[in-house]
Amino acid sequence: MTGILLAILAAVSWGSIVFVSNKLGGDENSQTLGTTVGALVFAIVVYIYKMPELSTVTWAVGFVSGLLWCIGQKNQFGAVRYLGVAKTAPISTGLQLIGTTFFGVFIFKEWQTTTSIVIGLAGLACIIIGALLTSLNQGDDKGQKKSQKEGLLILLFSTVGFVTYVVLIRRFNIDGWAAILPQAIGMVTGAFFITIRDKPYNKYAIRNILTGLIWSTGNLGLLLALPKIGVATSFSISQTGIVISTIGGLFFLNERKSKKQVWIVLLGCLFIIIGGVLLGLTKR
């Protein structure tokens, strides 16, 4: 039960990130920089408390992982400008689950039985359906369709960053507690070089330190849940927090356009959640 609650903590924290950062204001550059600074502050506190042993490999892999995460997060924030929070959150989640599942199956050989393959494929099908539903464009405006295509392209870059940041840690079996500080340093470094041209040093970057603290809380919750309920189950539960971003975007950020669109997006979220749960069951 404790593991489930920790995974839910990750879901609530991560599901709030896009919504909270949007409310705090700023563009994707100031949001990314502020988030990484918040993550670094959190990582320093955790390191002082836990004092994990940091090897050269841990520093190198953690740092690169943080750089990759930065690419993923900046592009996710950037996609909001084209798609809105209500669409960005579920589509991004669906793509990440598909990406991590691909590596889990073909690289780490996690699906070993016929049952797990059937359940896993059903989960992927649900996620794809959900992502398609949330990305549907009801309007015929050409400018709107072009904006959606640009947003989806940005989300593809975001997915590459997010998936590889997770896979890299898994590939080298880096301890979660030890990875936090090198990862946070990589995140801040990546944010500095990626955003320096746009000079994101403003009040919005300072505000979004809160976003980084929220993200780090979710990250810690997931790390603590891993040894209790497993990787697949904990990660799948952690991704169900998209409901928060989606509902926040629809009802609190004035992204609602019609009742039909609201129901379609919510239905898409439901499919993605079901798909995530099914993927979690493949480890049983």
Side-chain angles (χ1 to χ4, degrees), residues 161-217:
F162 278 140
V163 171
T164 50
Y165 122 84
V166 173
V167 170
L168 195 61
I169 294 294
R170 169 73 184 279
R171 171 66 179 79
F172 288 91
N173 295 314
I174 304 298
D175 177 68
W177 288 103
I180 290 179
L181 183 58
Q183 207 172 61
I185 294 175
M187 289 163 60
V188 171
T189 304
F192 176 77
F193 284 106
I194 290 176
T195 65
I196 188 172
R197 185 178 60 180
D198 298 291
K199 300 178 180 179
Y201 316 107
N202 50 45
K203 63 179 181 180
Y204 299 112
I206 296 175
R207 288 181 183 179
N208 277 279
I209 290 176
L210 174 62
T211 307
L213 295 175
I214 294 174
W215 178 85
S216 298
T217 300

Side-chain angles (χ1 to χ4, degrees), residues 30-202:
S30 57
Q31 289 172 338
T32 300
L33 182 63
T35 299
T36 58
V37 171
L40 180 59
V41 171
F42 188 93
I44 291 173
V45 173
V46 170
Y47 177 78
I48 293 174
Y49 170 74
K50 196 71 177 178
M51 292 299 289
E53 183 179 346
L54 302 178
S55 66
T56 303
V57 174
T58 299
W59 273 108
V61 174
F63 184 83
V64 174
S65 174
L67 292 176
L68 292 168
W69 177 92
C70 187
I71 293 173
Q73 191 61 68
K74 181 182 184 298
N75 282 288
Q76 187 185 64
F77 284 147
V80 173
R81 181 165 15 111
Y82 298 95
L83 301 174
V85 173
K87 284 188 175 182
T88 298
I91 295 174
S92 179
T93 296
L95 291 174
Q96 288 178 59
L97 282 171
I98 290 173
T100 53
T101 300
F102 173 84
F103 277 94
V105 174
F106 294 102
I107 304 300
F108 302 121
K109 310 296 182 182
E110 292 184 348
W111 293 358
Q112 298 291 335
T113 66
T114 302
T115 301
S116 63
I117 292 175
V118 172
I119 294 176
L121 290 177
L124 286 177
C126 286
I127 290 172
I128 292 172
I129 292 172
L132 289 175
L133 285 173
T134 55
S135 64
L136 287 177
N137 189 352
Q138 293 185 337
D140 295 324
D141 182 73
K142 292 183 178 179
Q144 201 172 37
K145 290 181 178 180
K146 181 180 179 181
S147 178
Q148 179 169 278
K149 289 181 179 179
E150 291 178 351
L152 291 174
L153 180 61
I154 292 174
L155 272 186
L156 288 178
F157 284 108
S158 172
T159 301
V160 171
F162 278 140
V163 171
T164 50
Y165 122 84
V166 173
V167 170
L168 195 61
I169 294 294
R170 169 73 184 279
R171 171 66 179 79
F172 288 91
N173 295 314
I174 304 298
D175 177 68
W177 288 103
I180 290 179
L181 183 58
Q183 207 172 61
I185 294 175
M187 289 163 60
V188 171
T189 304
F192 176 77
F193 284 106
I194 290 176
T195 65
I196 188 172
R197 185 178 60 180
D198 298 291
K199 300 178 180 179
Y201 316 107
N202 50 45

Side-chain angles (χ1 to χ4, degrees), residues 217-257:
T217 300
N219 193 41
L220 181 60
L222 180 64
L223 290 175
L224 295 177
L226 290 176
K228 297 180 181 295
I229 59 176
V231 176
T233 301
S234 56
F235 183 77
S236 298
I237 293 175
S238 73
Q239 296 304 301
T240 59
I242 59 165
V243 173
I244 297 174
S245 293
T246 302
I247 292 178
L250 289 173
F251 299 105
F252 298 105
L253 297 178
N254 300 317
E255 293 181 359
R256 180 171 54 179
K257 295 182 180 180

